[in-house]
Amino acid sequence: MKMTWTEAVKSSAGSLAADKLPVTALIAVRNEEANLRRCLEALAPAAHVVVVDSNSTDGTARIAAAMGAEVVQFQYPGGYPKKRQWVLDQDRIQTPWVLLVDADEVMPPALWAEVRAAMNSAAPATAYLAKKEFHFLGRRFRFGGFSHSAVLLFRRGQARFEDLLSNPPKAQDMEVHERLIVQGAVGRFHTPLIHEDFKGLDAYSLKHAHYASWEAAVRHQYLQSGRWGHQAIAARATGNAQEFRRFVKSLVIRMPGEGAMWFLYHYVVRLGFLEGRRGLIASQLRANYIREARAKLYELQLRAGGAR
């Protein structure tokens, strides 16, 4: 009898889990009942799993506890640190390695094999990037350029999240677009992390509306001061994936028609049209996110007296 995808992942992860890896998987959540079980099932090889919650009103905390994760509740007072950095600053993580995953992400067995190989190597890097493979409306996207890379694994105490805004929007209590500043060499895994959200487009749109407010505030600060934040990764054209993305942002935020530019990038240049109607919708949503962020940026500039 053919196994389902979930059964195959659980079977492979279970065999890897026979020898637990010295890593704590850290998941920041709020109302992730639709996604969390699938994420946790794939974390069997981790020695410890910490779910840091923001007082979810659905079954998130119950699911996490029932599946053996340590559940920690977070009350955001504003400012820095946000949710994941707050946990990193506590004494809850005792393993030498930390794995960062979101509730809508799944660690495939081949990626766990790369993690194990990196930990067992003679000279492992301080941190490792992985691509977050974009799934949208029930399909894995091969085209469109929506997948991006971020730090997945790092040595405890050797990386901190950026401190970008002194007074970020209260609705954004988790690091989303803040990147990790790594003190040491950064390697890369070849197997992508599966990124697929099952909460639907209403939740997706609401989440990105909050992101747009944060994006506008960060851009406003940069345009006023020339700095991305108090502690931020460098913007380098020849740097790693995180540094290159910051370099690109520093170029495009002053360009007119940025929303249309991103639509053309995803839909035409990166061949998003080959994904059919899903590719069109995803490209439009990306453009709308940028347009909303720029509208909110304009409002902030008006309030500061720097726009007409």
Side-chain angles (χ1 to χ4, degrees):
M1 176 184 252
K2 187 176 180 180
M3 287 192 296
T4 66
W5 184 91
T6 300
E7 289 170 340
V9 168
K10 290 175 70 176
S11 176
S12 298
S15 62
L16 282 168
D19 180 18
K20 294 280 188 178
L21 291 171
V23 59
T24 295
L26 176 58
I27 315 169
V29 298
R30 177 190 289 156
N31 293 334
E32 289 288 353
E33 183 179 58
N35 293 313
L36 187 58
R37 186 179 302 277
R38 188 167 178 259
C39 174
L40 290 172
E41 285 174 346
L43 294 178
H48 189 204
V49 177
V50 175
V51 172
V52 53
D53 187 22
S54 296
N55 297 294
S56 292
T57 56
D58 64 1
T60 294
R62 174 181 52 78
I63 291 170
M67 296 185 69
E70 178 186 1
V71 180
V72 182
Q73 294 296 337
F74 176 66
Q75 301 287 344
Y76 185 48
Y80 185 89
K82 292 186 180 180
K83 189 184 292 186
R84 289 188 285 195
Q85 186 59 54
W86 175 81
V87 173
L88 294 174
D89 289 341
Q90 307 298 308
D91 294 328
R92 297 181 182 276
I93 297 177
Q94 301 298 318
T95 58
W97 293 91
V98 180
L99 182 82
L100 294 177
V101 291
D102 293 335
D104 58 1
E105 295 171 346
V106 171
M107 286 281 295
L111 184 51
W112 273 119
E114 288 195 62
V115 169
R116 185 181 295 275
M119 291 181 177
N120 292 334
S121 67
T126 302
Y128 291 87
L129 294 160
K131 179 180 287 188
K132 300 191 174 193
E133 184 180 68
F134 184 66
H135 290 62
F136 184 69
L137 293 177
R139 176 186 292 177
R140 176 179 70 87
F141 270 34
R142 294 182 297 154
F143 304 100
F146 294 100
S147 299
H148 67 278
S149 295
V151 171
L152 173 70
L153 180 75
F154 63 94
R155 289 184 180 274
R156 176 171 53 91
Q158 297 300 306
R160 291 187 66 82
F161 279 97
E162 297 176 295
D163 180 5
L164 299 184
L165 289 175
S166 299
N167 188 30
K170 281 293 186 75
Q172 187 107 74
D173 72 344
M174 184 181 83
E175 302 87 350
V176 176
H177 298 298
E178 293 95 335
R179 306 303 175 192
L180 277 170
I181 304 171
V182 178
Q183 304 300 319
V186 179
R188 175 180 285 278
F189 294 133
H190 300 291
T191 305
L193 190 70
I194 299 169
H195 184 156
E196 186 171 14
D197 192 343
F198 291 92
K199 291 192 291 185
L201 284 181
D202 281 345
Y204 183 94
S205 297
L206 179 60
K207 177 173 64 176
H208 282 79
H210 292 315
Y211 292 175
S213 297
W214 178 90
E215 181 74 29
V218 171
R219 289 178 175 219
H220 185 241
Q221 175 178 267
Y222 175 74
L223 291 173
Q224 283 191 317
S225 67
R227 299 175 59 218
W228 286 108
H230 307 293
Q231 301 176 55
I233 64 169
R236 294 193 179 98
T238 57
N240 62 41
Q242 296 190 133
E243 293 168 338
F244 180 72
R245 283 171 64 87
R246 184 59 52 77
F247 170 76
V248 171
K249 180 181 286 190
S250 67
L251 296 179
V252 301
I253 62 172
R254 292 186 173 89
M255 292 182 179
E258 185 190 353
M261 181 189 70
W262 282 113
F263 175 84
L264 291 172
Y265 170 77
H266 290 296
Y267 194 64
V268 179
V269 177
R270 297 301 300 273
L271 306 180
F273 65 89
L274 294 176
E275 298 291 351
R277 191 169 183 180
R278 291 177 178 85
L280 175 62
I281 293 171
S283 300
Q284 289 172 329
L285 288 173
R286 168 66 168 161
N288 290 340
Y289 164 73
I290 294 297
R291 293 188 184 104
E292 184 174 356
R294 289 185 72 122
K296 292 178 177 181
L297 169 61
Y298 181 65
E299 181 182 35
L300 291 174
Q301 291 172 326
L302 283 175
R303 292 175 178 174
R308 295 183 178 181

